[in-house]
Amino acid sequence: MEFKFFNTSLTNESILVISMFESEKIENILTIKFIDNLDNLNSIIKQVNQVVSTEAFQAKTAKILSVPLYGLTDLKKIIIYGLGDKTKINNTTYRKFGANLARLCFNKHLNLAVLVQTETINNSLNIQTFTEGFILSSYKFEKYKQIKEEKQSKTQLISFYGDFEPGSNLVESTNIGLTIASAVNMAKNLINEPAINMTPVIFADYAQDLALKSNLNIEILTVKEMKELNMNCILAVGQGSKNEPRFVVLRYQGENTKMNYGLAGKGITFDSGGLSLKPPLSMEYMKYDMSGAAIVLAVMQIVAWFKPKFCVTAVMPLAENMPGGNALRPGDVIKSMSGKTIEVNNTDAEGRLVLADALYYLQKLGVSEIIDIATLTGGVLTALGRASCGVMSNNQDLCNRINSISNLAGEKVWQLPLFEEYKEGLKSDIADLKNAGSRGEAATSSAASFLQEFVNDIPWLHFDIANVGWSDKDKEEITKGPTAYGARLIAYYLIDQNKN
Ligand code: BES
Ligand code: MG
Ligand code: ZN
């Protein structure tokens, strides 16, 4: 896939794509600047206007009109894409445009598209989000299919054509969009892998490859090393599986060593529930329970590319939650790395266990603030549906920053409380706390309150993405299956922090 600017000559393979706001006129967009033969230009405009009126096309958001040219020019055809009401344009408009256009090109086997600029796509942010949407929605996972559709119909080239804001670095903009979307797609690949092929060891190998390619510092802790460090929660969760746990630490070193952003991602490569076994329907998609770790890895790939001034340290606790003969039992007590003891009343509340050690370890490494991301509770689906993920934080300022960047990233967040009352529900009779509160009571906030027990006075924010980490349909830039929701948001957040 290639993106180009200006220098495209239209051929009979070219599709001319024109985006249009409601009540805009084609003659104001398609001018002599683009089609230099006046006769051709006039006959195209006439043809477009005819189809626009017979189809009563109004350029409403995401509406598409295909205009055949019957040999009027060399062009294959013209596609008009509706951007809707001009006053309602926002940061998601162009991401959706890119995403919808990619699907159209794929379905119609169009391999070359030329985009004519309207006055609004001429800025770099719009080019960036357009590119991002295009690459994100082009994602296919066909590794295990005998017949691969992707090979046959993939768009080769998008050429942007038109007047651009002076001084805008368009190549750079497509590169940012491309980098973000490719990293997200990489995470989706890891999540899509069946759990048998994405064990903690295999995940750690992927992280190692990435570290080598991207010049990041990596440490992979084995069971022996984790024992020495007392990472007993992660070991306990992993002990029922034949596939050993691992702990990955990935570091990016910027010039400013005083600021170190900490990231943690839940990496349960399969969540059977352990001895508190899940029913079959709830287990079906549980290979996605390492989404948090994959997302953190994707963010590090982006970080390695944009090379911020500050440092970023990412940890990925990796384990498989299985009910093997040596499995953790309900009633067992674990001494976590922090020293706090935990009575395990439900082995299916394993995510918070591995994160407890991960959060504690990040603080030992001396990070300045922490963001963790996890497919942590089914309750977040009950609370929010699939409209946004849940965020919880001990620091309102950090939460506000994430909230304000979420518009730009196109990933919505909704804050849920961390009331003191939830801590009551986690009291144990025999240990410092238990890992699961009462069923059906504020499950998402309760899980986050458990995590908070392992965070000292440091700004911390937790994403629960269990509701949005998997999609049952293609929609705009989201593809069916794993979404890696939150990767974009964290990446945009760090990019924004680098501007300070
Ligand atoms: N990985 C699951 C979260 C999950 C549940 C994701 C359902 C998608 C759908 C997590 O480990 C889990 O099992 N959470 C339990 C916690 C409970 C036992 C306190 C849950 O949410 O039911
Ligand atoms: Mg579980
Ligand atoms: Zn889980």
Side-chain angles (χ1 to χ4, degrees), residues 195-202 223 234-246 269-270 272 274 318-328:
I196 182 83
N197 294 331
M198 192 45 65
T199 62
V201 169
I202 299 173
V223 168
I234 302 168
L235 291 168
V237 169
Q239 76 192 28
S241 168
K242 290 207 162 134
N243 297 309
E244 284 187 2
R246 287 288 182 272
T269 58
F270 187 72
S272 71
L318 304 162
E320 191 179 35
N321 189 21
M322 296 289 266
N326 193 40
L328 181 65

mmCIF file of all heavy atoms in Angstrom, residues 195-202 223 234-246 269-270 272 274 318-328:
data_model
loop_
_atom_site.group_PDB
_atom_site.id
_atom_site.type_symbol
_atom_site.label_atom_id
_atom_site.label_comp_id
_atom_site.label_asym_id
_atom_site.label_seq_id
_atom_site.Cartn_x
_atom_site.Cartn_y
_atom_site.Cartn_z
ATOM 1 N N ALA A 195 -5.112 -19.646 21.007
ATOM 2 C CA ALA A 195 -4.306 -19.644 22.236
ATOM 3 C C ALA A 195 -3.201 -20.697 22.218
ATOM 4 O O ALA A 195 -2.137 -20.505 22.807
ATOM 5 C CB ALA A 195 -5.212 -19.846 23.443
ATOM 6 N N ILE A 196 -3.423 -21.784 21.509
ATOM 7 C CA ILE A 196 -2.406 -22.849 21.425
ATOM 8 C C ILE A 196 -1.133 -22.320 20.741
ATOM 9 O O ILE A 196 -0.028 -22.771 21.009
ATOM 10 C CB ILE A 196 -2.975 -24.095 20.677
ATOM 11 C CG1 ILE A 196 -1.963 -25.242 20.604
ATOM 12 C CG2 ILE A 196 -3.421 -23.768 19.279
ATOM 13 C CD1 ILE A 196 -1.933 -26.091 21.825
ATOM 14 N N ASN A 197 -1.323 -21.328 19.845
ATOM 15 C CA ASN A 197 -0.182 -20.729 19.139
ATOM 16 C C ASN A 197 0.218 -19.373 19.697
ATOM 17 O O ASN A 197 0.998 -18.640 19.086
ATOM 18 C CB ASN A 197 -0.516 -20.567 17.649
ATOM 19 C CG ASN A 197 -0.695 -21.900 16.966
ATOM 20 O OD1 ASN A 197 -0.089 -22.890 17.379
ATOM 21 N ND2 ASN A 197 -1.523 -21.938 15.941
ATOM 22 N N MET A 198 -0.350 -19.006 20.818
ATOM 23 C CA MET A 198 0.011 -17.718 21.430
ATOM 24 C C MET A 198 0.140 -17.919 22.949
ATOM 25 O O MET A 198 -0.555 -17.309 23.745
ATOM 26 C CB MET A 198 -1.048 -16.654 21.079
ATOM 27 C CG MET A 198 -0.690 -15.205 21.400
ATOM 28 S SD MET A 198 0.960 -14.673 20.947
ATOM 29 C CE MET A 198 0.888 -14.790 19.162
ATOM 30 N N THR A 199 1.047 -18.820 23.304
ATOM 31 C CA THR A 199 1.316 -19.080 24.719
ATOM 32 C C THR A 199 2.173 -17.936 25.261
ATOM 33 O O THR A 199 2.706 -17.136 24.476
ATOM 34 C CB THR A 199 2.091 -20.399 24.859
ATOM 35 O OG1 THR A 199 3.330 -20.232 24.160
ATOM 36 C CG2 THR A 199 1.319 -21.575 24.263
ATOM 37 N N PRO A 200 2.350 -17.852 26.579
ATOM 38 C CA PRO A 200 3.214 -16.800 27.124
ATOM 39 C C PRO A 200 4.612 -16.794 26.493
ATOM 40 O O PRO A 200 5.134 -15.729 26.162
ATOM 41 C CB PRO A 200 3.272 -17.153 28.608
ATOM 42 C CG PRO A 200 1.935 -17.774 28.879
ATOM 43 C CD PRO A 200 1.631 -18.579 27.654
ATOM 44 N N VAL A 201 5.180 -17.980 26.277
ATOM 45 C CA VAL A 201 6.529 -18.054 25.693
ATOM 46 C C VAL A 201 6.526 -17.515 24.260
ATOM 47 O O VAL A 201 7.415 -16.751 23.868
ATOM 48 C CB VAL A 201 7.064 -19.508 25.740
ATOM 49 C CG1 VAL A 201 8.330 -19.650 24.912
ATOM 50 C CG2 VAL A 201 7.312 -19.925 27.196
ATOM 51 N N ILE A 202 5.500 -17.891 23.494
ATOM 52 C CA ILE A 202 5.439 -17.425 22.097
ATOM 53 C C ILE A 202 5.217 -15.914 22.052
ATOM 54 O O ILE A 202 5.850 -15.200 21.270
ATOM 55 C CB ILE A 202 4.343 -18.169 21.300
ATOM 56 C CG1 ILE A 202 4.664 -19.676 21.273
ATOM 57 C CG2 ILE A 202 4.224 -17.624 19.890
ATOM 58 C CD1 ILE A 202 3.576 -20.545 20.653
ATOM 59 N N VAL A 223 10.225 -18.295 34.858
ATOM 60 C CA VAL A 223 9.633 -18.706 36.137
ATOM 61 C C VAL A 223 10.652 -18.583 37.268
ATOM 62 O O VAL A 223 10.338 -18.063 38.351
ATOM 63 C CB VAL A 223 9.093 -20.153 36.027
ATOM 64 C CG1 VAL A 223 8.737 -20.719 37.400
ATOM 65 C CG2 VAL A 223 7.879 -20.182 35.104
ATOM 66 N N ILE A 234 1.423 -13.830 39.636
ATOM 67 C CA ILE A 234 1.505 -14.278 38.236
ATOM 68 C C ILE A 234 1.806 -15.780 38.202
ATOM 69 O O ILE A 234 1.194 -16.542 37.450
ATOM 70 C CB ILE A 234 2.579 -13.482 37.470
ATOM 71 C CG1 ILE A 234 2.254 -11.994 37.531
ATOM 72 C CG2 ILE A 234 2.674 -13.953 36.026
ATOM 73 C CD1 ILE A 234 3.366 -11.088 37.063
ATOM 74 N N LEU A 235 2.720 -16.204 39.058
ATOM 75 C CA LEU A 235 3.065 -17.629 39.118
ATOM 76 C C LEU A 235 1.841 -18.458 39.501
ATOM 77 O O LEU A 235 1.589 -19.514 38.923
ATOM 78 C CB LEU A 235 4.199 -17.847 40.129
ATOM 79 C CG LEU A 235 5.550 -17.274 39.692
ATOM 80 C CD1 LEU A 235 6.538 -17.256 40.864
ATOM 81 C CD2 LEU A 235 6.134 -18.065 38.518
ATOM 82 N N ALA A 236 1.065 -17.944 40.466
ATOM 83 C CA ALA A 236 -0.115 -18.684 40.936
ATOM 84 C C ALA A 236 -1.132 -18.839 39.810
ATOM 85 O O ALA A 236 -1.692 -19.922 39.600
ATOM 86 C CB ALA A 236 -0.739 -17.950 42.123
ATOM 87 N N VAL A 237 -1.365 -17.760 39.043
ATOM 88 C CA VAL A 237 -2.337 -17.834 37.957
ATOM 89 C C VAL A 237 -1.857 -18.820 36.894
ATOM 90 O O VAL A 237 -2.645 -19.583 36.318
ATOM 91 C CB VAL A 237 -2.593 -16.436 37.337
ATOM 92 C CG1 VAL A 237 -3.395 -16.547 36.045
ATOM 93 C CG2 VAL A 237 -3.313 -15.532 38.333
ATOM 94 N N GLY A 238 -0.544 -18.856 36.669
ATOM 95 C CA GLY A 238 -0.006 -19.711 35.603
ATOM 96 C C GLY A 238 0.196 -21.166 35.996
ATOM 97 O O GLY A 238 0.442 -22.019 35.135
ATOM 98 N N GLN A 239 0.086 -21.487 37.268
ATOM 99 C CA GLN A 239 0.516 -22.820 37.718
ATOM 100 C C GLN A 239 -0.398 -23.969 37.306
ATOM 101 O O GLN A 239 0.006 -25.132 37.356
ATOM 102 C CB GLN A 239 0.739 -22.825 39.249
ATOM 103 C CG GLN A 239 -0.523 -22.859 40.071
ATOM 104 C CD GLN A 239 -0.302 -22.567 41.561
ATOM 105 O OE1 GLN A 239 0.632 -21.866 41.935
ATOM 106 N NE2 GLN A 239 -1.168 -23.123 42.407
ATOM 107 N N GLY A 240 -1.607 -23.651 36.843
ATOM 108 C CA GLY A 240 -2.507 -24.720 36.398
ATOM 109 C C GLY A 240 -2.325 -25.068 34.928
ATOM 110 O O GLY A 240 -3.047 -25.905 34.394
ATOM 111 N N SER A 241 -1.377 -24.426 34.269
ATOM 112 C CA SER A 241 -1.182 -24.653 32.836
ATOM 113 C C SER A 241 0.169 -25.296 32.559
ATOM 114 O O SER A 241 1.141 -25.062 33.275
ATOM 115 C CB SER A 241 -1.254 -23.323 32.087
ATOM 116 O OG SER A 241 -0.809 -23.473 30.762
ATOM 117 N N LYS A 242 0.230 -26.099 31.487
ATOM 118 C CA LYS A 242 1.513 -26.665 31.059
ATOM 119 C C LYS A 242 2.382 -25.594 30.413
ATOM 120 O O LYS A 242 3.595 -25.749 30.305
ATOM 121 C CB LYS A 242 1.276 -27.795 30.063
ATOM 122 C CG LYS A 242 0.661 -29.013 30.738
ATOM 123 C CD LYS A 242 1.011 -30.295 30.024
ATOM 124 C CE LYS A 242 0.763 -31.476 30.948
ATOM 125 N NZ LYS A 242 0.037 -32.575 30.295
ATOM 126 N N ASN A 243 1.740 -24.500 29.960
ATOM 127 C CA ASN A 243 2.500 -23.417 29.343
ATOM 128 C C ASN A 243 2.935 -22.424 30.415
ATOM 129 O O ASN A 243 2.104 -21.785 31.041
ATOM 130 C CB ASN A 243 1.640 -22.709 28.292
ATOM 131 C CG ASN A 243 1.252 -23.640 27.167
ATOM 132 O OD1 ASN A 243 2.100 -24.309 26.587
ATOM 133 N ND2 ASN A 243 -0.038 -23.725 26.876
ATOM 134 N N GLU A 244 4.245 -22.350 30.594
ATOM 135 C CA GLU A 244 4.791 -21.520 31.680
ATOM 136 C C GLU A 244 4.482 -20.034 31.508
ATOM 137 O O GLU A 244 4.447 -19.536 30.384
ATOM 138 C CB GLU A 244 6.320 -21.642 31.694
ATOM 139 C CG GLU A 244 6.825 -22.915 32.276
ATOM 140 C CD GLU A 244 8.354 -22.872 32.412
ATOM 141 O OE1 GLU A 244 8.971 -21.844 32.077
ATOM 142 O OE2 GLU A 244 8.895 -23.887 32.857
ATOM 143 N N PRO A 245 4.321 -19.319 32.611
ATOM 144 C CA PRO A 245 4.165 -17.861 32.510
ATOM 145 C C PRO A 245 5.486 -17.163 32.160
ATOM 146 O O PRO A 245 6.562 -17.749 32.326
ATOM 147 C CB PRO A 245 3.698 -17.456 33.902
ATOM 148 C CG PRO A 245 4.078 -18.552 34.811
ATOM 149 C CD PRO A 245 4.180 -19.807 33.995
ATOM 150 N N ARG A 246 5.376 -15.962 31.702
ATOM 151 C CA ARG A 246 6.541 -15.105 31.431
ATOM 152 C C ARG A 246 6.194 -13.679 31.852
ATOM 153 O O ARG A 246 5.018 -13.306 31.930
ATOM 154 C CB ARG A 246 6.899 -15.103 29.936
ATOM 155 C CG ARG A 246 7.547 -16.379 29.429
ATOM 156 C CD ARG A 246 8.973 -16.529 29.943
ATOM 157 N NE ARG A 246 9.629 -17.720 29.430
ATOM 158 C CZ ARG A 246 9.584 -18.929 29.991
ATOM 159 N NH1 ARG A 246 8.850 -19.130 31.084
ATOM 160 N NH2 ARG A 246 10.234 -19.940 29.465
ATOM 161 N N THR A 269 -3.154 -15.478 28.132
ATOM 162 C CA THR A 269 -3.204 -15.993 26.752
ATOM 163 C C THR A 269 -4.429 -16.870 26.517
ATOM 164 O O THR A 269 -4.871 -17.027 25.390
ATOM 165 C CB THR A 269 -1.911 -16.747 26.396
ATOM 166 O OG1 THR A 269 -1.735 -17.818 27.339
ATOM 167 C CG2 THR A 269 -0.708 -15.817 26.443
ATOM 168 N N PHE A 270 -4.961 -17.435 27.603
ATOM 169 C CA PHE A 270 -6.288 -18.050 27.544
ATOM 170 C C PHE A 270 -6.874 -18.049 28.943
ATOM 171 O O PHE A 270 -6.200 -18.418 29.904
ATOM 172 C CB PHE A 270 -6.251 -19.485 26.990
ATOM 173 C CG PHE A 270 -7.646 -20.038 26.786
ATOM 174 C CD1 PHE A 270 -8.451 -19.579 25.752
ATOM 175 C CD2 PHE A 270 -8.172 -20.969 27.666
ATOM 176 C CE1 PHE A 270 -9.755 -20.047 25.592
ATOM 177 C CE2 PHE A 270 -9.479 -21.445 27.503
ATOM 178 C CZ PHE A 270 -10.262 -20.984 26.459
ATOM 179 N N SER A 272 -9.625 -19.790 30.913
ATOM 180 C CA SER A 272 -10.673 -20.815 31.073
ATOM 181 C C SER A 272 -11.474 -20.531 32.345
ATOM 182 O O SER A 272 -12.514 -21.137 32.582
ATOM 183 C CB SER A 272 -10.034 -22.203 31.189
ATOM 184 O OG SER A 272 -9.367 -22.324 32.441
ATOM 185 N N GLY A 274 -9.957 -21.094 35.138
ATOM 186 C CA GLY A 274 -9.254 -21.924 36.123
ATOM 187 C C GLY A 274 -10.266 -22.864 36.773
ATOM 188 O O GLY A 274 -11.280 -23.225 36.146
ATOM 189 N N LEU A 318 2.376 -12.366 31.537
ATOM 190 C CA LEU A 318 1.794 -13.346 30.621
ATOM 191 C C LEU A 318 1.583 -14.678 31.323
ATOM 192 O O LEU A 318 2.531 -15.239 31.889
ATOM 193 C CB LEU A 318 2.743 -13.557 29.430
ATOM 194 C CG LEU A 318 3.103 -12.289 28.654
ATOM 195 C CD1 LEU A 318 4.358 -12.504 27.809
ATOM 196 C CD2 LEU A 318 1.928 -11.863 27.776
ATOM 197 N N ALA A 319 0.365 -15.180 31.289
ATOM 198 C CA ALA A 319 0.082 -16.472 31.913
ATOM 199 C C ALA A 319 -1.158 -17.056 31.266
ATOM 200 O O ALA A 319 -1.968 -16.335 30.667
ATOM 201 C CB ALA A 319 -0.149 -16.295 33.417
ATOM 202 N N GLU A 320 -1.276 -18.386 31.379
ATOM 203 C CA GLU A 320 -2.483 -19.044 30.887
ATOM 204 C C GLU A 320 -3.269 -19.530 32.094
ATOM 205 O O GLU A 320 -2.720 -20.217 32.949
ATOM 206 C CB GLU A 320 -2.122 -20.209 29.964
ATOM 207 C CG GLU A 320 -3.336 -20.757 29.233
ATOM 208 C CD GLU A 320 -3.006 -21.914 28.290
ATOM 209 O OE1 GLU A 320 -2.115 -22.727 28.592
ATOM 210 O OE2 GLU A 320 -3.662 -22.003 27.241
ATOM 211 N N ASN A 321 -4.550 -19.153 32.162
ATOM 212 C CA ASN A 321 -5.386 -19.512 33.321
ATOM 213 C C ASN A 321 -6.117 -20.829 33.036
ATOM 214 O O ASN A 321 -7.153 -20.838 32.382
ATOM 215 C CB ASN A 321 -6.381 -18.377 33.595
ATOM 216 C CG ASN A 321 -7.140 -18.559 34.902
ATOM 217 O OD1 ASN A 321 -6.688 -19.281 35.799
ATOM 218 N ND2 ASN A 321 -8.289 -17.915 35.014
ATOM 219 N N MET A 322 -5.533 -21.935 33.533
ATOM 220 C CA MET A 322 -6.072 -23.275 33.235
ATOM 221 C C MET A 322 -6.337 -24.057 34.514
ATOM 222 O O MET A 322 -5.709 -23.813 35.543
ATOM 223 C CB MET A 322 -5.067 -24.031 32.353
ATOM 224 C CG MET A 322 -4.858 -23.407 30.984
ATOM 225 S SD MET A 322 -6.278 -23.613 29.907
ATOM 226 C CE MET A 322 -5.792 -25.094 29.049
ATOM 227 N N PRO A 323 -7.214 -25.051 34.438
ATOM 228 C CA PRO A 323 -7.573 -25.825 35.634
ATOM 229 C C PRO A 323 -6.774 -27.118 35.797
ATOM 230 O O PRO A 323 -7.305 -28.114 36.260
ATOM 231 C CB PRO A 323 -9.050 -26.128 35.387
ATOM 232 C CG PRO A 323 -9.152 -26.243 33.899
ATOM 233 C CD PRO A 323 -8.085 -25.379 33.296
ATOM 234 N N GLY A 324 -5.493 -27.121 35.426
ATOM 235 C CA GLY A 324 -4.665 -28.334 35.521
ATOM 236 C C GLY A 324 -4.512 -28.818 36.962
ATOM 237 O O GLY A 324 -4.958 -28.168 37.917
ATOM 238 N N GLY A 325 -3.850 -29.975 37.107
ATOM 239 C CA GLY A 325 -3.727 -30.625 38.418
ATOM 240 C C GLY A 325 -3.074 -29.771 39.481
ATOM 241 O O GLY A 325 -3.332 -29.918 40.679
ATOM 242 N N ASN A 326 -2.224 -28.859 39.030
ATOM 243 C CA ASN A 326 -1.520 -28.020 40.003
ATOM 244 C C ASN A 326 -2.179 -26.632 40.147
ATOM 245 O O ASN A 326 -1.588 -25.697 40.693
ATOM 246 C CB ASN A 326 -0.063 -27.863 39.553
ATOM 247 C CG ASN A 326 0.810 -27.289 40.647
ATOM 248 O OD1 ASN A 326 0.654 -27.651 41.816
ATOM 249 N ND2 ASN A 326 1.705 -26.377 40.289
ATOM 250 N N ALA A 327 -3.396 -26.525 39.619
ATOM 251 C CA ALA A 327 -4.032 -25.199 39.542
ATOM 252 C C ALA A 327 -4.262 -24.558 40.910
ATOM 253 O O ALA A 327 -4.441 -25.240 41.919
ATOM 254 C CB ALA A 327 -5.364 -25.307 38.802
ATOM 255 N N LEU A 328 -4.262 -23.252 40.889
ATOM 256 C CA LEU A 328 -4.653 -22.433 42.038
ATOM 257 C C LEU A 328 -6.082 -22.820 42.431
ATOM 258 O O LEU A 328 -6.932 -23.017 41.560
ATOM 259 C CB LEU A 328 -4.613 -20.972 41.557
ATOM 260 C CG LEU A 328 -4.943 -19.839 42.502
ATOM 261 C CD1 LEU A 328 -3.905 -19.754 43.613
ATOM 262 C CD2 LEU A 328 -4.979 -18.517 41.718
#
